Structures are given as C-alpha cells and as structure tokens.
C-alpha cells in the first residue's frame, strides 16, 4: 500500500512541476484594449433617475457637482455619445471640467421641451450653457432614464 502512495505522490509532483518548455517568471503584461470612450458606470450607481422636473434638477445637479469637483470620468457618465463628443472637441467653447476648474454653478431655468425632454439653462463661472436632457443611451450604450443628450454654450 505504501508503494501505491509513493507512486501517486511522485506522479502528482511531476504533474505540478513546471515543464522546461514553460518560461519561468510572470507572464508578460497584456496590452490594454483601446476604447473610444471610457466605460460608464452601471445604471444604479448614484445617477438620479426620479421622473419629472425634480428628477431632471437632481440629475443636472449631480452632473454639475462632478464637473466642479474636476471629476471628468464621473462627469462623462452623464453624457450621451453626442454630448461627450461636443465636450471633448470643445464645441462652441464647451469644457467638461473647466480650465481653470469651475468654482460654482447655478440652475437658471428648467423648461420642458416635449413630453420627455428638458432644456436646462446653467450659469457657470460667468458663462452659460444649455443642456438638453432626456432618456437615451450613455457613451457605453447603456440606456439611461436621464442623459445629457447635447450641450451648447450661450452668451
């Protein structure tokens, strides 16, 4: 019986031992995959989704707080692919987190554009933006109850 155990242990040791064909040491690092847009956070993570004007106000306030904090990755989670492109290209002077950083913001007006879309006028550091908010996909393609569909800097 002892010979069977000895043979079993020997086979086990041989099976677990690295072979000469396997390189020693850790595997080489993998190249990160390229993405056009960073992944958005999953839907339930702190994105306001309450319906109506109160929900839009909460959603825009959270978006603006991320911008004032200089948290560009978090602010991107609030944007549709179109809005993200507008901010990345600086269309019409748009800036996601400001340069220098934004210090304060104010909701100047929230107006219903149609049954499920809103125009939100915002004052930030001496200039104004109009945000177009409604349901739609975020930059990663996930459907959201509220998303900034587009933005425009206004005088």
């Amino acid at each position: 019986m002892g010979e069977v155990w000895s043979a079993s242990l020997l086979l086990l040791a041989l099976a677990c031992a690295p072979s000469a064909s396997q390189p020693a040491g850790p595997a080489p690092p993998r190249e990160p995959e390229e993405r056009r847009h960073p992944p958005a956070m999953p839907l339930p993570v702190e994105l306001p989704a309450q319906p109506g004007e109160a929900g839009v106000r909460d959603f825009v306030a959270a978006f603006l707080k991320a911008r004032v904090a200089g948290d560009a990755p978090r602010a991107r989670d609030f944007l549709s692919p179109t809005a993200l492109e507008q901010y990345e290209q600086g269309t019409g002077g748009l800036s996601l987190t400001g340069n220098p950083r934004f210090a304060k913001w104010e909701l100047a007006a929230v107006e219903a554009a149609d049954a499920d879309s809103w125009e939100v006028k915002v004052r930030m550091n001496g200039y104004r933006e109009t945000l177009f908010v409604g349901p739609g996909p975020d930059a990663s393609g996930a459907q959201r109850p509220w998303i900034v569909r587009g933005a425009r800097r206004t005088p």
Side-chain angles (χ1 to χ4, degrees):
M1 183 77 160
E3 292 176 19
V4 173
W5 282 106
S6 296
S8 296
L9 288 175
L10 179 61
L11 289 174
L12 180 62
L14 290 173
C16 294
S19 69
S21 65
Q22 292 179 336
R30 292 178 45 185
E31 293 292 322
E33 69 180 64
E34 289 190 36
R35 296 182 183 205
R36 171 141 166 72
H37 304 292
M41 296 173 73
L43 180 60
V45 179
E46 298 179 38
L47 286 185
Q50 179 182 349
E53 183 177 338
V56 171
R57 286 179 178 276
D58 290 347
F59 174 82
V60 171
F63 172 55
L64 296 174
K65 286 175 185 175
R67 292 176 68 189
V68 168
D71 190 351
R74 177 70 173 136
R76 284 185 194 102
D77 290 329
F78 293 81
L79 302 175
S80 70
T82 300
L84 180 60
E85 187 173 308
Q86 289 173 326
Y87 280 104
E88 285 179 342
Q89 293 179 356
T91 304
L94 289 172
S95 176
L96 191 57
T97 56
N99 191 10
R101 280 191 182 171
F102 295 121
K104 60 185 178 177
W105 57 270
E106 175 188 356
L107 287 178
V110 178
E111 301 168 353
D114 60 38
D116 64 355
S117 298
W118 299 80
E119 285 188 20
V120 182
K121 297 185 184 344
V122 178
R123 290 188 194 106
M124 296 185 76
N125 286 18
Y127 77 89
R128 297 171 191 219
E129 281 183 9
T130 300
L131 305 175
F132 304 97
V133 178
D138 64 17
S140 71
Q143 190 68 24
R144 306 274 186 170
W146 296 123
I147 200 75
V148 176
R149 295 174 174 171
R152 177 179 65 224
R153 188 171 175 172
T154 53

